[in-house]
Amino acid sequence: MTTTRENPPSAFLLGGDLPVSRMGFGAMRLPAREIAGPANDPETSAAVLRRAVELGVNHIDTAWFYFHEGLSANGLIRRVLRPYAEDLVLAAKVGPVRHPDGSWGAPAGPRELVAGVHRTLRELGRDRLDLVYLRLHEDDDATSAERFGALAALREEGLIRHLGLSNTTTGLLAGAQRIAPVAAVQNMYGLFHRRNPDVLDACTEQGIAFVPFFSLESLGRQEPSEPLARIAARHEATAAQVKLAWTMARSPVVLPIPGTSSVAHVEDNIAAADLLLDPEDLAALDALPG
């Protein structure tokens, strides 16, 4: 893989005080490749997590509801990485309710959100969480203030360092900011699904971390072979690496968290942080239907 110009800053100051690598790691696929299973081999998943940290990742995104049968992302993180490095930033999500059999319940109310934070603290073996996202849902226009307020109260208690929103809009972001500072936003975003660009713009303007999930997905769409394949070949990179590099080039606040259950893939994903696309590459990719 080749680069074409000097590398940009490789770190971002999350919340103004936590330096994190711009390429992070999402733990959703550690228990199982798909949320419904089958379960992964625990030692393979442990090796993936260990390799990500060896390659410089210090921003890991997890959630208590990332589990399959007896294997959970939080349990793997605790087993493999504890005692935690001082610079390791663990971000967690609360909001959905998931039952032990893997089925999903109604979105969590304030009391369940608080329980989810305490559960995450226990599972990770930490006294405070670096970042907690409220995962929003389509009815949150009416309930987001109360739910976000419950997390803001935990922040005041010292159990949470920074707060974030997931699946948000600019309106919901502004509403949350009237309650407490928002350090990060986690939305679906990638080359072939450029949703809510106004949210990315707002984060860029305010210096809020924008953490895209599913950056490598096409959401069932047929991907055009050109110019993606041509650009990848010229840089001796993979199509996935080009997608990640394009995403990072959108704004200096973008912190991708690609997840995988493969050691080879985690190595490729992290290497994408060093892939610098030139203006012609970016213009050609920008022109693709998103």
Side-chain angles (χ1 to χ4, degrees):
M1 184 176 67
T2 60
T3 60
T4 58
R5 60 180 185 267
E6 189 175 331
N7 285 353
S10 59
F12 178 83
L13 207 56
L14 180 64
D17 62 1
L18 290 176
V20 296
S21 52
R22 283 195 66 199
M23 187 66 75
F25 178 78
M28 185 180 73
R29 298 187 190 276
L30 288 178
R33 179 178 172 82
E34 303 296 337
I35 196 79
N40 290 332
D41 171 61
E43 295 312 311
T44 300
S45 293
V48 169
L49 187 57
R50 194 175 294 113
R51 186 61 175 148
V53 173
E54 288 172 353
L55 292 172
V57 167
N58 71 336
H59 171 210
I60 297 176
D61 182 85
T62 187
W64 72 262
F65 45 84
Y66 292 166
F67 66 83
H68 186 73
E69 297 174 352
L71 191 62
S72 73
N74 285 350
L76 283 164
I77 290 169
R78 178 172 180 158
R79 176 166 73 87
V80 173
L81 300 182
R82 198 170 184 246
Y84 298 114
E86 288 187 6
D87 68 340
L88 180 65
V89 173
L90 294 179
K93 285 183 290 297
V94 291
V97 171
R98 196 172 185 212
H99 304 301
D101 65 359
S103 62
W104 298 91
R111 183 176 299 179
E112 292 166 310
L113 292 172
V114 171
V117 169
H118 283 282
R119 174 174 178 166
T120 303
L121 287 166
R122 289 194 304 272
E123 290 181 348
L124 292 173
R126 302 199 81 168
D127 296 323
R128 179 169 70 165
L129 297 174
D130 299 312
L131 172 63
V132 174
Y133 294 96
L134 172 60
R135 183 71 177 269
L136 298 169
H137 60 94
E138 60 185 8
D139 296 326
D140 264 324
D141 282 321
T143 64
S144 61
E146 183 183 12
R147 298 170 79 230
F148 189 73
L151 298 182
L154 295 181
R155 176 176 172 270
E156 291 298 318
E157 291 177 28
L159 297 180
I160 298 172
R161 187 165 185 166
H162 292 299
L163 297 172
L165 293 175
S166 180
N167 282 347
T168 193
T169 63
T170 53
L172 291 172
L173 172 60
Q177 289 174 309
R178 289 191 285 270
I179 299 170
V182 175
V185 163
Q186 187 176 127
N187 275 17
M188 183 184 295
Y189 191 84
L191 179 60
F192 295 113
H193 45 90
R194 305 170 205 178
R195 299 182 176 184
N196 302 115
D198 56 330
V199 176
L200 174 55
D201 291 342
C203 289
T204 301
E205 292 168 4
Q206 299 178 52
I208 297 171
F210 183 85
V211 183
F213 63 88
F214 289 171
S215 294
L216 299 178
E217 304 294 330
S218 299
L219 304 180
R221 294 174 49 185
Q222 176 103 25
E223 292 183 5
S225 59
E226 284 289 337
L228 190 58
R230 171 175 50 81
I231 292 171
R234 187 162 65 82
H235 288 281
E236 300 177 10
T238 67
Q241 288 174 325
V242 171
K243 290 180 184 180
L244 288 170
W246 177 88
T247 304
M248 293 185 75
R250 302 299 288 172
S251 169
V253 306
V254 172
L255 311 178
I257 49 167
T260 180
S261 54
S262 160
V263 171
H265 287 167
V266 81
E267 291 173 345
D268 286 347
N269 291 343
I270 294 169
D274 294 324
L275 173 57
L276 274 278
L277 302 174
D278 60 36
E280 291 76 17
D281 295 333
L282 294 172
L285 295 169
D286 288 348
L288 292 173

